[in-house]
Amino acid sequence: MSERLSIDPAHLTEASGALLEHLRATSPLVHCITNSVVTNFTANALLALGAAPAMVDIVGEAGLFAGAANGMLVNLGTPNPEQRDAAREAAPAAHGAGTPWVLDPVAVGALPIRTALARELLEFRPTAIRGNASEVLALAGAGAGGRGVDASDETDAAGAAAARLADGFGSTVAVSGPVDLVTDGVRCVRIANGDALLTRVTGGGCALGAVTAAFLAAARATDAGLDDLGATAAATLVYTVAAELAAAGADGPGSFAVAFLDALASVDANDLAARARVEVGTLAVQAAGATGAAR
Amino acid sequence: MSERLSIDPAHLTEASGALLEHLRATSPLVHCITNSVVTNFTANALLALGAAPAMVDIVGEAGLFAGAANGMLVNLGTPNPEQRDAAREAAPAAHGAGTPWVLDPVAVGALPIRTALARELLEFRPTAIRGNASEVLALAGAGAGGRGVDASDETDAAGAAAARLADGFGSTVAVSGPVDLVTDGVRCVRIANGDALLTRVTGGGCALGAVTAAFLAAARATDAGLDDLGATAAATLVYTVAAELAAAGADGPGSFAVAFLDALASVDANDLAARARVEVGTLAVQAAGATGAAR
Amino acid sequence: MSERLSIDPAHLTEASGALLEHLRATSPLVHCITNSVVTNFTANALLALGAAPAMVDIVGEAGLFAGAANGMLVNLGTPNPEQRDAAREAAPAAHGAGTPWVLDPVAVGALPIRTALARELLEFRPTAIRGNASEVLALAGAGAGGRGVDASDETDAAGAAAARLADGFGSTVAVSGPVDLVTDGVRCVRIANGDALLTRVTGGGCALGAVTAAFLAAARATDAGLDDLGATAAATLVYTVAAELAAAGADGPGSFAVAFLDALASVDANDLAARARVEVGTLAVQAAGATGAAR
């Protein structure tokens, strides 16, 4: 714990912009095993951002690819039997090869097969776990789960559950909500950017899991000064600021989704500097009140 | 039959607007087992409208979820073996729990596996059946089926087949076409709204099945005065009026699809009142000529 | 070889426009077995163009449908076991029925299961093979394959491999890249149209495979004077000119994808005449220098 990098909002915001540039320059290959509803949007979000997506979700290929990719996502939204076995192949392969990987436990708690699978995959120590409050609570063993992909628990209530997961599996945990929370069990980043329209587009959360894998990959290939917590927070910051840019000119969820892909391609360090609403602290300090805030 | 609600175009149009507001206020959870081509568009259509989509199409979860959801869709567009078994689990669960559910028999008649499955699922008495004329004819045992998702029979020709299905399985049957026809075997609503661009976007018909499930769910949770026939007609009316709003500013099928999602989020009772082209009668009266017409 | 139609850039461009009109008038039914990431975009591209898509990818239906469709695509992007068996059913059925079909060997060379399947399917002599340089090299037995759907070999380097495939299996081979190359092993068409934004949208290459199947189907039903090489080149020309039209007003990859669908619906012979950048020659002549060029 004592070796964790200290972090402050201004530094995080600046380093996020640098990491975004590095990501675009190197185009990390992001392996996705994700649900059938959002494959297209997820691939387009990665392409817009500057990463290279590859959806490889069959047995006999997923493990090979997880070892070769720069980052990986396992999203449990529609886990048919082939995908489940592909995930069982890919997670240990990523873990063994040191490929950073993200687990998105969609609807865990509400539905039994994915809940069991998510617990099984935790053993391969996902670099990051991204979900809404219900899912994080359910994955940590508390809460009854949501009614699908909606969040019915408050983000804050999930802080303790997130810390438990982080401690137990060495993961960074990102809890999506009106204010996003990212923690490694000790340090905690809150990001108040974003727009409600992101919840009116399917894959608004799921694609962030893939983007997080891209940022984790980029951070490991540079010296931008962001560890896994920082890279996960950077992904959330870039993603939610892009959502704000997109919402500004949108007439509804359809035009928002289009503008969001455009914004992922154009968002830059200046946008982050102008818009970031980031707080940094420890979970204990957070519980007691705010700490530093950039804007 | 004698207890069926009477209905007239003006009342239907007004009640459709009220039901739409209720739907947005309560955000019914709509369980979809649908084809791989349109999952994304379907989920986005439901989100835009104000409903909460969840695609749960694996064995071991589909049955559980069908019992808990507010409405359900089974669309047979790409029925792989896992989806077929999930549908076999979900249809009796929905039927048993009283969850209103919609069967969309895509390409039934033209292709054997889905044809057999559709007949099997009919035993669980779908609340509504939505298809084009070819599919409705084929499902009722007449006609040779279309060449896929196209309609090669006229909507009118399917009226008798629709009535047969309605009588046989207690379903409301909606036949899509230039003029949409909705019947419970006795009463018949014709809706002449819509735009040809809706046929140039994949999922233009399929998403209506999901939207119908959302309206059926909403109608059962309110006293807006619409039974299943009315709720199914309301879904068609709202959907096709939204298509008209979208077409007004579209440059082609790509921009139309985007504007359509925006329109699903914005369409309201005033739009319905201004644009509804609805006729109501009985199937027999319909065959002889028009009855009441709102605009 | 001596019976191959001669072809020149001006004629190819003019005949492509005529074939496009014929395609729109007859709306060929295009059977697609394609990957889960791009099904929606592919279907929408075909609909926008004026063709009729049908995604039929299950065992027991795929073979039947391949015999009845006007054209077929097998894309190996996410080849789950059911799709693999469906492809094994559909390819011989298309071959036996004379249905023109396109093989898109996505990521062949990089991943083992699809590589083996692609080699197996070659025996059923695809009418056209469409891939990037890496994939064409790998399918022909040279090169190590790319890192997914990216092209890491130059299009030119793939010329010899393309010719080998063309000779071995009687196929027209289309290699996508900044300059697209289409060859039947002797004659060679190069098309320098397109826009880099097409590589920032998932399915930008995959949908061209489906569009190629539509043009092959249209060419066989008319006397527009284009054989398989000509029809494949026409598909590429129409597709890449539409990309240029779309890019003109796009703000990024999201708005480009929308405008591209609009452009597929509006592109016509005049656009082709104004923008075509086509060279025609033989592979040997091409290697030595340019031949005729239209603009």
Side-chain angles (χ1 to χ4, degrees):
Chain A
M1 306 264 187
S2 59
E3 298 182 42
R4 295 179 202 247
L5 294 172
S6 73
I7 196 167
D8 73 81
H11 167 253
L12 177 62
T13 300
E14 190 181 335
S16 295
L19 186 55
L20 172 60
E21 289 311 303
H22 181 74
L23 187 160
R24 286 181 177 142
T26 56
S27 194
L29 179 60
V30 181
H31 175 192
C32 299
I33 297 176
T34 193
N35 72 73
S36 60
V37 188
V38 304
T39 45
N40 185 270
F41 186 70
T42 301
N44 276 335
L46 287 172
L47 283 168
L49 189 70
M55 272 59 183
V56 181
D57 61 357
I58 62 172
V59 172
E61 293 188 347
L64 282 171
F65 206 70
N70 301 115
M72 186 179 76
L73 166 71
V74 176
N75 170 301
L76 303 181
T78 54
N80 63 51
E82 180 77 8
Q83 269 204 345
R84 298 201 291 270
D85 287 340
R88 288 184 181 109
E89 204 181 84
H95 181 57
T99 305
W101 75 282
V102 178
L103 176 66
D104 189 333
V106 180
V108 159
L111 292 166
I113 288 176
R114 65 194 71 198
T115 303
L117 180 59
R119 298 235 161 91
E120 192 181 330
L121 297 177
L122 281 177
E123 298 306 320
F124 302 103
R125 306 178 77 80
T127 314
I129 298 167
R130 191 218 74 82
N132 61 37
S134 297
E135 294 158 351
V136 168
L137 282 163
L139 191 61
R147 56 177 207 166
V149 295
D150 273 334
S152 48
D153 297 278
E154 288 299 322
T155 310
D156 279 353
R164 219 155 49 236
L165 284 173
D167 286 341
F169 302 99
S171 305
T172 292
V173 181
V175 187
S176 295
V179 175
D180 293 293
L181 180 155
V182 182
T183 184
D184 59 2
V186 175
R187 297 170 300 165
C188 182
V189 181
R190 282 162 189 250
I191 300 166
N193 294 96
D195 191 279
L197 277 170
L198 205 48
T199 66
R200 298 288 295 277
V201 175
T202 194
C206 297
L208 175 54
V211 166
T212 301
F215 273 88
L216 289 167
R220 293 182 175 213
T222 184
D223 55 357
L226 290 176
D227 58 7
D228 290 344
L229 176 81
T232 301
T236 300
L237 178 60
V238 167
Y239 194 85
T240 53
V241 166
E244 291 180 5
L245 297 172
D251 293 322
S255 49
F256 170 76
V258 172
F260 180 60
L261 293 176
D262 286 352
L264 283 174
S266 69
V267 61
D268 63 17
N270 290 336
D271 296 315
L272 303 186
R275 289 177 174 272
R277 297 171 62 201
V278 176
E279 292 183 11
V280 176
T282 64
L283 274 176
V285 170
Q286 285 297 131
T291 54
R295 190 166 308 259
Chain B
M1 306 264 189
S2 58
E3 297 183 42
R4 295 179 203 247
L5 295 172
S6 72
I7 194 168
D8 73 81
H11 168 254
L12 177 61
T13 301
E14 190 181 335
S16 295
L19 187 54
L20 172 60
E21 290 311 302
H22 181 73
L23 188 160
R24 286 182 176 141
T26 56
S27 194
L29 179 60
V30 181
H31 175 192
C32 299
I33 297 177
T34 193
N35 73 74
S36 59
V37 188
V38 305
T39 44
N40 185 270
F41 186 70
T42 301
N44 276 335
L46 286 171
L47 283 168
L49 189 70
M55 271 59 182
V56 180
D57 62 356
I58 62 173
V59 173
E61 294 188 345
L64 282 170
F65 206 71
N70 301 114
M72 184 178 79
L73 166 71
V74 176
N75 171 303
L76 302 182
T78 54
N80 63 50
E82 180 78 7
Q83 269 203 345
R84 297 201 292 270
D85 286 340
R88 288 185 182 108
E89 205 182 85
H95 181 58
T99 306
W101 75 282
V102 178
L103 175 65
D104 189 334
V106 180
V108 159
L111 293 165
I113 289 175
R114 65 193 69 197
T115 303
L117 179 60
R119 298 235 162 91
E120 192 181 332
L121 296 176
L122 281 177
E123 298 307 320
F124 302 103
R125 305 177 77 80
T127 314
I129 298 168
R130 192 218 73 82
N132 60 37
S134 298
E135 294 157 352
V136 168
L137 282 163
L139 191 60
R147 56 175 207 166
V149 295
D150 273 334
S152 48
D153 297 278
E154 289 298 322
T155 310
D156 280 352
R164 219 154 48 235
L165 284 172
D167 286 341
F169 303 99
S171 305
T172 292
V173 182
V175 187
S176 296
V179 175
D180 294 292
L181 180 155
V182 183
T183 184
D184 60 1
V186 174
R187 297 171 299 165
C188 181
V189 180
R190 284 163 188 249
I191 299 166
N193 293 97
D195 191 279
L197 277 170
L198 205 49
T199 66
R200 299 288 294 276
V201 174
T202 194
C206 298
L208 175 54
V211 166
T212 301
F215 274 87
L216 288 167
R220 292 180 176 216
T222 183
D223 54 358
L226 289 176
D227 58 6
D228 291 343
L229 177 81
T232 301
T236 299
L237 178 61
V238 168
Y239 194 84
T240 54
V241 166
E244 291 180 6
L245 297 172
D251 294 322
S255 49
F256 170 77
V258 172
F260 180 61
L261 293 175
D262 286 353
L264 283 174
S266 69
V267 61
D268 62 16
N270 290 334
D271 296 315
L272 302 185
R275 289 178 174 270
R277 297 171 62 200
V278 176
E279 292 183 11
V280 176
T282 64
L283 273 176
V285 170
Q286 283 298 130
T291 55
R295 190 167 306 263
Chain C
M1 306 262 187
S2 57
E3 297 182 44
R4 295 179 202 247
L5 295 172
S6 73
I7 196 168
D8 72 82
H11 168 254
L12 177 62
T13 300
E14 191 181 334
S16 296
L19 187 54
L20 172 60
E21 290 311 303
H22 181 75
L23 187 159
R24 287 182 177 141
T26 55
S27 194
L29 179 60
V30 181
H31 175 192
C32 299
I33 298 176
T34 192
N35 73 73
S36 60
V37 187
V38 304
T39 45
N40 185 271
F41 186 70
T42 300
N44 277 335
L46 286 172
L47 283 169
L49 188 70
M55 273 58 184
V56 180
D57 62 355
I58 63 172
V59 173
E61 294 188 346
L64 282 171
F65 206 71
N70 302 116
M72 184 179 78
L73 166 71
V74 176
N75 170 301
L76 303 181
T78 54
N80 63 52
E82 180 76 8
Q83 268 204 344
R84 297 202 291 270
D85 286 340
R88 287 184 182 110
E89 205 181 85
H95 181 59
T99 307
W101 74 283
V102 178
L103 176 66
D104 189 334
V106 181
V108 158
L111 292 166
I113 287 175
R114 64 193 72 198
T115 302
L117 179 60
R119 298 235 162 91
E120 192 181 331
L121 296 176
L122 281 177
E123 298 306 320
F124 301 103
R125 306 176 77 80
T127 315
I129 298 168
R130 192 218 74 81
N132 62 37
S134 298
E135 293 157 352
V136 168
L137 282 164
L139 190 60
R147 57 176 207 167
V149 295
D150 273 333
S152 48
D153 297 279
E154 289 298 323
T155 310
D156 280 352
R164 218 153 50 235
L165 285 172
D167 286 341
F169 302 99
S171 305
T172 292
V173 181
V175 187
S176 295
V179 176
D180 293 291
L181 180 155
V182 182
T183 185
D184 60 2
V186 175
R187 296 171 299 165
C188 181
V189 180
R190 284 162 188 250
I191 299 166
N193 293 97
D195 191 279
L197 277 170
L198 206 48
T199 65
R200 298 289 294 276
V201 175
T202 194
C206 297
L208 175 54
V211 166
T212 300
F215 273 87
L216 288 167
R220 292 179 176 215
T222 184
D223 55 357
L226 290 176
D227 57 7
D228 291 344
L229 176 80
T232 301
T236 300
L237 179 60
V238 168
Y239 194 85
T240 54
V241 166
E244 292 180 6
L245 297 172
D251 294 322
S255 48
F256 170 78
V258 172
F260 180 60
L261 293 175
D262 285 353
L264 283 174
S266 70
V267 61
D268 63 16
N270 291 334
D271 296 316
L272 303 185
R275 289 177 174 270
R277 297 170 61 201
V278 175
E279 292 183 11
V280 175
T282 64
L283 273 176
V285 170
Q286 283 299 127
T291 55
R295 191 167 306 261

mmCIF file of all heavy atoms in Angstrom, chain C residues 12-33:
data_model
loop_
_atom_site.group_PDB
_atom_site.id
_atom_site.type_symbol
_atom_site.label_atom_id
_atom_site.label_comp_id
_atom_site.label_asym_id
_atom_site.label_seq_id
_atom_site.Cartn_x
_atom_site.Cartn_y
_atom_site.Cartn_z
ATOM 1 N N LEU C 12 -15.685 0.353 -67.416
ATOM 2 C CA LEU C 12 -15.970 -0.198 -66.099
ATOM 3 C C LEU C 12 -16.784 0.790 -65.270
ATOM 4 O O LEU C 12 -17.759 0.418 -64.594
ATOM 5 C CB LEU C 12 -14.667 -0.543 -65.376
ATOM 6 C CG LEU C 12 -14.836 -1.070 -63.945
ATOM 7 C CD1 LEU C 12 -15.633 -2.367 -63.915
ATOM 8 C CD2 LEU C 12 -13.471 -1.284 -63.297
ATOM 9 N N THR C 13 -16.395 2.043 -65.333
ATOM 10 C CA THR C 13 -17.096 3.065 -64.545
ATOM 11 C C THR C 13 -18.538 3.228 -65.019
ATOM 12 O O THR C 13 -19.469 3.276 -64.204
ATOM 13 C CB THR C 13 -16.336 4.405 -64.655
ATOM 14 O OG1 THR C 13 -15.004 4.219 -64.154
ATOM 15 C CG2 THR C 13 -17.029 5.500 -63.855
ATOM 16 N N GLU C 14 -18.711 3.264 -66.321
ATOM 17 C CA GLU C 14 -20.062 3.423 -66.863
ATOM 18 C C GLU C 14 -20.915 2.189 -66.576
ATOM 19 O O GLU C 14 -22.076 2.291 -66.162
ATOM 20 C CB GLU C 14 -19.957 3.663 -68.376
ATOM 21 C CG GLU C 14 -21.274 4.096 -68.998
ATOM 22 C CD GLU C 14 -21.125 4.302 -70.512
ATOM 23 O OE1 GLU C 14 -19.992 4.590 -70.969
ATOM 24 O OE2 GLU C 14 -22.131 4.138 -71.221
ATOM 25 N N ALA C 15 -20.329 1.021 -66.782
ATOM 26 C CA ALA C 15 -21.086 -0.213 -66.546
ATOM 27 C C ALA C 15 -21.406 -0.394 -65.063
ATOM 28 O O ALA C 15 -22.430 -0.978 -64.702
ATOM 29 C CB ALA C 15 -20.299 -1.412 -67.075
ATOM 30 N N SER C 16 -20.544 0.117 -64.192
ATOM 31 C CA SER C 16 -20.818 0.041 -62.755
ATOM 32 C C SER C 16 -22.074 0.831 -62.410
ATOM 33 O O SER C 16 -22.899 0.392 -61.590
ATOM 34 C CB SER C 16 -19.628 0.588 -61.955
ATOM 35 O OG SER C 16 -18.487 -0.206 -62.152
ATOM 36 N N GLY C 17 -22.217 1.978 -63.016
ATOM 37 C CA GLY C 17 -23.420 2.784 -62.792
ATOM 38 C C GLY C 17 -24.669 2.072 -63.281
ATOM 39 O O GLY C 17 -25.714 2.077 -62.606
ATOM 40 N N ALA C 18 -24.561 1.449 -64.432
ATOM 41 C CA ALA C 18 -25.708 0.715 -64.977
ATOM 42 C C ALA C 18 -26.057 -0.486 -64.095
ATOM 43 O O ALA C 18 -27.235 -0.775 -63.846
ATOM 44 C CB ALA C 18 -25.397 0.256 -66.408
ATOM 45 N N LEU C 19 -25.028 -1.150 -63.610
ATOM 46 C CA LEU C 19 -25.266 -2.315 -62.760
ATOM 47 C C LEU C 19 -25.909 -1.891 -61.437
ATOM 48 O O LEU C 19 -26.795 -2.584 -60.903
ATOM 49 C CB LEU C 19 -23.946 -3.057 -62.514
ATOM 50 C CG LEU C 19 -24.033 -4.385 -61.775
ATOM 51 C CD1 LEU C 19 -25.016 -5.340 -62.447
ATOM 52 C CD2 LEU C 19 -22.655 -5.022 -61.670
ATOM 53 N N LEU C 20 -25.472 -0.765 -60.912
ATOM 54 C CA LEU C 20 -26.071 -0.231 -59.686
ATOM 55 C C LEU C 20 -27.567 0.025 -59.882
ATOM 56 O O LEU C 20 -28.396 -0.325 -59.014
ATOM 57 C CB LEU C 20 -25.350 1.062 -59.284
ATOM 58 C CG LEU C 20 -25.929 1.884 -58.132
ATOM 59 C CD1 LEU C 20 -25.964 1.081 -56.849
ATOM 60 C CD2 LEU C 20 -25.107 3.163 -57.929
ATOM 61 N N GLU C 21 -27.922 0.598 -61.017
ATOM 62 C CA GLU C 21 -29.348 0.829 -61.293
ATOM 63 C C GLU C 21 -30.105 -0.487 -61.373
ATOM 64 O O GLU C 21 -31.228 -0.611 -60.858
ATOM 65 C CB GLU C 21 -29.526 1.619 -62.594
ATOM 66 C CG GLU C 21 -29.077 3.059 -62.499
ATOM 67 C CD GLU C 21 -29.648 3.767 -61.278
ATOM 68 O OE1 GLU C 21 -30.889 3.799 -61.144
ATOM 69 O OE2 GLU C 21 -28.853 4.244 -60.430
ATOM 70 N N HIS C 22 -29.489 -1.456 -62.015
ATOM 71 C CA HIS C 22 -30.137 -2.765 -62.137
ATOM 72 C C HIS C 22 -30.316 -3.408 -60.761
ATOM 73 O O HIS C 22 -31.365 -3.998 -60.459
ATOM 74 C CB HIS C 22 -29.305 -3.662 -63.045
ATOM 75 C CG HIS C 22 -29.905 -5.009 -63.231
ATOM 76 N ND1 HIS C 22 -31.006 -5.239 -64.034
ATOM 77 C CD2 HIS C 22 -29.584 -6.210 -62.691
ATOM 78 C CE1 HIS C 22 -31.332 -6.511 -63.993
ATOM 79 N NE2 HIS C 22 -30.480 -7.123 -63.181
ATOM 80 N N LEU C 23 -29.303 -3.272 -59.938
ATOM 81 C CA LEU C 23 -29.381 -3.829 -58.581
ATOM 82 C C LEU C 23 -30.568 -3.200 -57.831
ATOM 83 O O LEU C 23 -31.357 -3.909 -57.187
ATOM 84 C CB LEU C 23 -28.060 -3.548 -57.861
ATOM 85 C CG LEU C 23 -27.811 -4.168 -56.482
ATOM 86 C CD1 LEU C 23 -26.306 -4.193 -56.190
ATOM 87 C CD2 LEU C 23 -28.533 -3.475 -55.363
ATOM 88 N N ARG C 24 -30.681 -1.892 -57.926
ATOM 89 C CA ARG C 24 -31.782 -1.224 -57.215
ATOM 90 C C ARG C 24 -33.145 -1.638 -57.758
ATOM 91 O O ARG C 24 -34.125 -1.720 -57.006
ATOM 92 C CB ARG C 24 -31.612 0.291 -57.308
ATOM 93 C CG ARG C 24 -30.477 0.791 -56.411
ATOM 94 C CD ARG C 24 -30.323 2.301 -56.462
ATOM 95 N NE ARG C 24 -29.280 2.717 -55.525
ATOM 96 C CZ ARG C 24 -28.393 3.681 -55.761
ATOM 97 N NH1 ARG C 24 -28.412 4.331 -56.915
ATOM 98 N NH2 ARG C 24 -27.483 3.983 -54.861
ATOM 99 N N ALA C 25 -33.204 -1.902 -59.046
ATOM 100 C CA ALA C 25 -34.489 -2.268 -59.657
ATOM 101 C C ALA C 25 -34.910 -3.685 -59.280
ATOM 102 O O ALA C 25 -36.108 -3.982 -59.204
ATOM 103 C CB ALA C 25 -34.398 -2.134 -61.173
ATOM 104 N N THR C 26 -33.927 -4.559 -59.035
ATOM 105 C CA THR C 26 -34.264 -5.966 -58.823
ATOM 106 C C THR C 26 -34.105 -6.410 -57.371
ATOM 107 O O THR C 26 -34.588 -7.467 -56.993
ATOM 108 C CB THR C 26 -33.373 -6.862 -59.698
ATOM 109 O OG1 THR C 26 -31.996 -6.557 -59.410
ATOM 110 C CG2 THR C 26 -33.641 -6.593 -61.180
ATOM 111 N N SER C 27 -33.401 -5.610 -56.572
ATOM 112 C CA SER C 27 -33.237 -5.897 -55.142
ATOM 113 C C SER C 27 -32.846 -7.345 -54.855
ATOM 114 O O SER C 27 -33.626 -8.120 -54.270
ATOM 115 C CB SER C 27 -34.533 -5.562 -54.411
ATOM 116 O OG SER C 27 -34.305 -5.516 -53.018
ATOM 117 N N PRO C 28 -31.647 -7.746 -55.241
ATOM 118 C CA PRO C 28 -31.232 -9.136 -55.018
ATOM 119 C C PRO C 28 -31.236 -9.501 -53.530
ATOM 120 O O PRO C 28 -30.897 -8.686 -52.677
ATOM 121 C CB PRO C 28 -29.812 -9.183 -55.592
ATOM 122 C CG PRO C 28 -29.354 -7.768 -55.658
ATOM 123 C CD PRO C 28 -30.583 -6.953 -55.882
ATOM 124 N N LEU C 29 -31.643 -10.729 -53.293
ATOM 125 C CA LEU C 29 -31.684 -11.262 -51.931
ATOM 126 C C LEU C 29 -30.288 -11.782 -51.577
ATOM 127 O O LEU C 29 -29.788 -12.711 -52.219
ATOM 128 C CB LEU C 29 -32.715 -12.394 -51.877
ATOM 129 C CG LEU C 29 -32.912 -13.119 -50.554
ATOM 130 C CD1 LEU C 29 -33.354 -12.170 -49.444
ATOM 131 C CD2 LEU C 29 -33.948 -14.242 -50.719
ATOM 132 N N VAL C 30 -29.669 -11.177 -50.583
ATOM 133 C CA VAL C 30 -28.290 -11.525 -50.217
ATOM 134 C C VAL C 30 -28.272 -12.220 -48.866
ATOM 135 O O VAL C 30 -28.626 -11.639 -47.839
ATOM 136 C CB VAL C 30 -27.391 -10.271 -50.193
ATOM 137 C CG1 VAL C 30 -25.959 -10.665 -49.839
ATOM 138 C CG2 VAL C 30 -27.425 -9.572 -51.549
ATOM 139 N N HIS C 31 -27.863 -13.458 -48.899
ATOM 140 C CA HIS C 31 -27.771 -14.293 -47.710
ATOM 141 C C HIS C 31 -26.427 -14.032 -47.040
ATOM 142 O O HIS C 31 -25.385 -14.192 -47.663
ATOM 143 C CB HIS C 31 -27.886 -15.751 -48.181
ATOM 144 C CG HIS C 31 -27.696 -16.773 -47.100
ATOM 145 N ND1 HIS C 31 -27.532 -18.108 -47.386
ATOM 146 C CD2 HIS C 31 -27.652 -16.681 -45.762
ATOM 147 C CE1 HIS C 31 -27.390 -18.781 -46.261
ATOM 148 N NE2 HIS C 31 -27.461 -17.955 -45.263
ATOM 149 N N CYS C 32 -26.444 -13.643 -45.769
ATOM 150 C CA CYS C 32 -25.205 -13.337 -45.053
ATOM 151 C C CYS C 32 -25.016 -14.266 -43.863
ATOM 152 O O CYS C 32 -25.911 -14.402 -43.024
ATOM 153 C CB CYS C 32 -25.215 -11.904 -44.530
ATOM 154 S SG CYS C 32 -25.348 -10.649 -45.813
ATOM 155 N N ILE C 33 -23.856 -14.872 -43.798
ATOM 156 C CA ILE C 33 -23.392 -15.529 -42.578
ATOM 157 C C ILE C 33 -22.211 -14.685 -42.152
ATOM 158 O O ILE C 33 -21.137 -14.764 -42.754
ATOM 159 C CB ILE C 33 -22.980 -16.988 -42.851
ATOM 160 C CG1 ILE C 33 -24.193 -17.783 -43.348
ATOM 161 C CG2 ILE C 33 -22.379 -17.619 -41.612
ATOM 162 C CD1 ILE C 33 -23.870 -19.228 -43.741
#
